[in-house]
Amino acid sequence: MAILVTGGAGYIGSVMVDQLVEAGERVVVIDDVSRGHRAALDSAVPFYEGKVGDRELIGRVCREHGVEACVHFAALAYVGESVTDPKLYFENNVAEGLGLLDGLLAAGVGRFVFSSTCATYGEPVRVPIDESHPQSPVNPYGWSKFFVERILEAYDAAYGLRFVALRYFNASGATAKRGEHHEPETHLIPNVLGAAAGRLPFVSVFGADYPTPDGTCVRDYIHVTDLCSAHTLALSYLKRGGKSEFINLGNGHGYSVMEVIEAARRVTGREIEVRVEAARPGDPARLVADARKAREVLGWQTQYPELEAIVRTAWDWHQAHPQGY
Ligand SMILES: NC(=O)c1ccc[n+]([C@@H]2O[C@H](COP(=O)([O-])OP(=O)(O)OC[C@H]3O[C@@H](n4cnc5c(N)ncnc54)[C@H](O)[C@@H]3O)[C@@H](O)[C@H]2O)c1
């Protein structure tokens, strides 16, 4: 039996593949490599270049590899791009997701772990954010994930699909082999490290008069290794017969943009020039997870609660891979 990992050539998916292989699982990957990197996967891992919405491909992969469960990372994930091109996001993240689910159900695969996001909550009405917080996304990316969550609920009720939808806060950090390489890169930590390494002239800080202690936005950074271990636990939970759940993945601590930059200055010992720019519309002041449910339901424990340790792993990877993959 094998685990199908979609988006396994991407940042988080590639770490998941390594973890599953190290745990002795058989893995098969589907990725269209539109945003990922073939080099992020070991050549020994069975890999199919294609779209997750290709029902025929999904059916064939499930039959050939005896797929028992799917971890679905494949998606487009730029908030700004989703605002200017919502059609792309609804087609890729929702319609393709429907094709994937069709293919899986037709092949008798009934366990599914889904990469959702704190962007499904929208502007928070209370922080920390628990899973019962109202969901009202403020961009098409967030809506695309929200819609898939509702589809999963309906498929559970109608077809018995069992799922865990994991709502990530800010994925960050690296392992010795895998790191973050998006083009363009919109995430804070790689951009701060890019400025430290001299690849970027400065780092932009969007807004410095938020109602936070230093005026910059506060986010919850969660290490990619910890994120992936929660997926492994979710797979075991579903295998034991656990019921479908929505679960936040965060550290439960918030760090401001300036605290991230300060941590990067300490870790790298480099100057990092900062330019304050206008706040971006739809960027909430604080996004911090209440992550108790992941501990209670999955027994999840994080290895990287400290920002500085997270930044250090990312810096080590960027130093070893200055051009990315
Ligand atoms: N990075 C974060 O902080 C974060 C936060 C919340 C949620 N997420 C979600 O986690 C998942 C993984 O994020 P990531 O940062 O690793 O992204 P990524 O872009 O690095 O990886 C996504 C992978 O999916 C592939 N892909 C996209 N659409 C596809 C399709 N239709 N068919 C086949 N392959 C396709 C891409 O080529 C890429 O390799 C995404 O679903 C994202 O929405 C990420």
Side-chain angles (χ1 to χ4, degrees):
M1 300 300 272
I3 311 287
L4 170 60
V5 178
T6 76
Y11 167 44
I12 306 169
S14 62
V15 176
M16 184 80 238
V17 170
D18 284 351
Q19 272 193 17
L20 288 170
V21 169
E22 277 160 29
E25 296 284 355
R26 286 181 49 213
V27 180
V28 53
V29 171
I30 296 179
D31 195 303
D32 65 4
V33 214
S34 57
R35 304 279 161 109
H37 310 273
R38 183 66 184 87
L41 278 176
D42 282 338
S43 54
V45 174
F47 171 69
Y48 293 79
E49 184 171 335
K51 295 271 184 200
V52 294
D54 181 342
R55 293 165 172 77
E56 189 279 323
L57 173 65
I58 301 297
R60 184 156 51 88
V61 167
C62 289
R63 280 193 306 277
E64 284 176 9
H65 293 271
V67 169
E68 58 171 329
C70 174
V71 188
H72 178 39
F73 294 101
L76 301 178
Y78 289 123
V79 168
E81 183 181 56
S82 82
V83 174
T84 54
D85 198 353
K87 177 172 159 347
L88 180 66
Y89 275 67
F90 293 130
E91 280 179 357
N92 194 76
N93 294 0
V94 184
E96 293 267 337
L98 281 171
L100 170 65
L101 289 170
D102 266 7
L104 292 174
L105 289 173
V109 180
R111 300 197 296 270
F112 194 77
V113 179
F114 175 57
S115 296
S116 191
T117 165
C118 65
T120 61
Y121 295 116
E123 184 71 42
V125 295
R126 58 173 191 270
V127 179
I129 299 170
D130 66 15
E131 291 80 358
S132 67
H133 185 286
Q135 287 180 291
S136 183
V138 292
N139 51 62
Y141 166 64
W143 281 114
S144 74
K145 295 285 182 173
F146 175 91
F147 291 149
V148 174
E149 286 193 356
R150 303 293 77 76
I151 291 164
L152 292 175
E153 277 177 327
Y155 279 32
D156 179 341
Y159 312 129
L161 176 75
R162 292 290 180 269
F163 68 87
V164 176
L166 297 168
R167 296 177 182 151
Y168 316 162
F169 283 65
N170 288 51
S172 51
T175 65
K177 285 161 75 181
R178 318 282 175 219
E180 193 164 9
H181 176 187
H182 294 118
E183 282 179 17
E185 187 55 78
T186 57
H187 292 136
L188 180 64
I189 291 175
N191 282 334
V192 169
L193 297 179
R199 283 194 301 279
L200 299 172
F202 58 87
V203 59
S204 298
V205 172
F206 298 102
D209 53 6
Y210 281 95
T212 58
D214 65 20
T216 63
C217 286
V218 169
R219 296 289 180 268
D220 185 331
Y221 295 90
I222 180 76
H223 196 274
V224 63
T225 301
D226 288 331
L227 269 185
C228 291
S229 71
H231 292 65
T232 303
L233 291 167
L235 285 167
S236 309
Y237 165 85
L238 289 173
K239 198 169 187 172
R240 291 195 304 273
K243 69 180 177 59
S244 298
E245 287 286 3
F246 298 96
I247 300 180
N248 285 341
L249 294 182
N251 261 314
H253 306 297
Y255 292 100
S256 73
V257 172
M258 284 313 300
E259 285 177 310
V260 171
I261 294 168
E262 285 305 332
R265 285 179 175 142
R266 286 195 297 277
V267 165
T268 65
R270 308 273 180 96
E271 295 292 318
I272 299 171
E273 189 182 330
V274 168
R275 292 219 188 140
V276 175
E277 302 190 28
R280 296 178 294 200
D283 237 359
R286 287 182 73 222
L287 287 175
V288 178
D290 179 333
R292 282 177 297 182
K293 187 171 175 184
R295 291 196 289 275
E296 287 162 13
V297 174
L298 302 178
W300 187 50
Q301 287 180 333
T302 54
Q303 285 178 42
Y304 292 93
E306 297 299 330
L307 177 66
E308 205 163 306
I310 293 174
V311 171
R312 182 166 294 111
T313 64
W315 178 240
D316 289 346
W317 190 81
H318 282 276
Q319 290 286 86
H321 304 81
Q323 309 302 324
Y325 284 107

